[in-house]
Amino acid sequence: IAAHLGFGDGRTSGVAWAGLGAVAGRGIAETPATGAVTNSTFQGNRIGAFSDLAPDMTWTRNQFLANQGHGFNAHSGCRALILDGNTATGNRGDGFLLARGCRDNLLQGNHAVRNGQSGIVLGNGSATPVESAGNTVISNTAIDNAAGLVVDGGTGNRLRGNTVQGGGTGIEIRNSRANPVEGNTVRDVNGPGVDLDGGAGNQVTGNRIERSHVGLYLKRATAGGVISKNQILASAQFGIYLSEGAGGNR
């Protein structure tokens, strides 16, 4: 158990796996941090666990509980991570945040419950010019978070077979391109079940959306999307709603 550690963000946030960056012109090469973290608990820290320049790590069956910020936070160079069977509960920030160019990571069988912000987030939008890409988010559960699953500035991230229940928004794809959203179940959210906010070419296929305020919401110049074979049941207001310049969608 690692508890009540840290005072700032990033490497001073409590428990950190941090590599060293390359220094141009001085002959210093990048030195990544690596390793595996299993059956551990991170509780009440500034951030539960943080990694930076730490590719190819595995995080398995860990708990991130009641941390002041995010439960798990991976930053620059988080490539080819495997997050399998972890739980993030009661954190004030996101349950799981992979930001600043997170690529080719696998998140499967994780549980994000009652976090103050979102359950699982890929990317951090305008905060970095480097997008999240090629990540797979499969068979995770997000319950009673502000938003369940979020892609914020990314391409080719696949969200498949996840379950989102309760909270403000089910699945949000924000300013992102060509992300398949397939076979997920969203129920009992207070806002949109699936929210496409800007971006282009996203595919929303074979999802089941029950008892949301709006089933599928396409807004702010969302373009070129393909919406097919979804079940949208008992929406409080609209089943499918296009607004604010959405165009060219099928």
Side-chain angles (χ1 to χ4, degrees):
I1 298 176
H4 308 296
L5 301 172
F7 59 88
D9 294 327
R11 299 180 182 217
T12 61
S13 62
V15 182
W17 278 256
L20 299 175
V23 180
R26 296 182 59 184
I28 299 176
E30 180 178 305
T31 304
T34 61
V37 184
T38 305
N39 294 327
S40 300
T41 299
F42 302 88
Q43 184 169 1
N45 298 322
R46 175 66 185 88
I47 292 174
F50 174 85
S51 72
D52 183 62
L53 297 177
D56 302 304
M57 290 190 66
T58 59
W59 298 78
T60 309
R61 298 186 303 279
N62 301 292
Q63 296 188 80
F64 306 93
L65 308 176
N67 296 287
Q68 296 174 25
H70 308 305
F72 174 84
N73 184 193
H75 264 232
S76 306
C78 55
R79 301 182 303 272
L81 304 183
I82 297 175
L83 277 71
D84 188 358
N86 303 285
T87 299
T89 300
N91 302 287
R92 293 184 185 176
D94 301 319
F96 302 91
L97 170 61
L98 280 72
R100 295 189 184 176
C102 55
R103 302 179 67 89
D104 304 319
N105 302 294
L106 172 64
L107 293 84
Q108 65 179 10
N110 301 290
H111 305 280
V113 182
R114 292 188 299 279
N115 297 289
Q117 296 182 19
S118 300
I120 297 174
V121 180
L122 303 177
N124 55 349
S126 60
T128 174
V130 183
E131 66 178 10
S132 60
N135 300 290
T136 299
V137 180
I138 183 171
S139 300
N140 301 279
T141 301
I143 299 175
D144 292 338
N145 305 283
L149 309 177
V150 177
V151 178
D152 186 7
T155 300
N157 301 287
R158 188 176 190 185
L159 281 57
R160 180 163 62 87
N162 303 285
T163 299
V164 179
Q165 181 172 325
T169 301
I171 298 172
E172 183 173 356
I173 310 297
R174 184 186 308 147
N175 297 321
S176 301
R177 299 178 61 87
N179 299 278
V181 180
E182 307 167 327
N184 303 283
T185 299
V186 179
R187 61 173 68 98
D188 299 314
V189 298
N190 295 322
V194 175
D195 186 0
L196 301 183
D197 186 352
N202 297 293
Q203 305 96 40
V204 181
T205 306
N207 302 280
R208 183 180 178 94
I209 304 166
E210 306 175 20
R211 297 181 300 277
S212 61
H213 185 68
V214 175
L216 287 165
Y217 189 14
L218 286 69
K219 64 186 178 184
R220 277 194 275 272
T222 296
V226 177
I227 313 298
S228 65
K229 301 180 181 178
N230 301 286
Q231 292 180 292
I232 304 170
L233 309 175
S235 301
Q237 188 177 34
F238 301 116
I240 300 175
Y241 183 31
L242 288 77
S243 74
E244 301 174 58
N249 300 286
R250 180 161 62 88

